[in-house]
Amino acid sequence: MRILVIDDDDDVLEALGAFLRHDGHTVEVASSAEDAIARSRPDAIVLVAIPASTRKLDLVRQIEAAFGGLPIFIVGDERHLAIDGIDGIVVAPRELHDLLRGSSPEHVLN
């Protein structure tokens, strides 16, 4: 699965990218909404933390407008489920694996 990870901390992007690559995914990273939208369409998006320059809802709307209809997960807590457009939350990396595995019937993970 091609996953786009968005965060404004390079260390977090590197660590989560390595985790997802180890799990067999192709990973691209972006540090801003503009950078994310400039990428080609991924199969899923993981928001680690919302970049400081962008409000959560605005970022999700921008992503949906650019890519529409793909799963969007956020590393956070239950408060983030109130954000329209978020398909799931992740508290620990293993949960991310489980969410991605079940994110869409069209996507089969090895």
Side-chain angles (χ1 to χ4, degrees):
M1 179 180 275
R2 259 187 83 246
I3 301 170
L4 176 60
V5 180
I6 305 171
D7 188 65
D8 58 1
D9 183 322
D10 290 339
D11 292 334
V12 172
L13 288 174
E14 184 178 329
L16 187 53
F19 173 82
L20 291 168
R21 284 182 196 96
H22 182 268
D23 209 25
H25 303 286
T26 301
V27 178
E28 287 191 56
V29 297
S31 59
S32 68
E34 296 79 19
D35 187 23
I37 292 167
R39 308 282 177 168
S40 59
R41 181 184 172 83
D43 298 316
I45 291 181
V46 176
L47 304 173
V48 179
I50 305 302
S53 61
T54 310
R55 291 184 354 185
K56 293 175 182 90
L57 185 56
D58 290 342
L59 178 58
V60 172
R61 285 183 178 156
Q62 289 173 11
I63 290 168
E64 287 180 330
F67 300 120
L70 56 87
I72 301 173
F73 303 105
I74 191 165
V75 176
D77 59 39
E78 58 277 348
R79 293 174 295 148
H80 293 102
L81 283 176
I83 301 170
D84 203 27
I86 296 295
D87 295 296
I89 59 168
V90 177
V91 183
R94 194 80 237 147
E95 291 174 348
L96 180 59
H97 169 82
D98 295 340
L99 274 174
L100 290 170
R101 180 172 296 282
S103 68
S104 171
E106 304 116 51
H107 301 295
V108 178
L109 303 179
N110 296 324

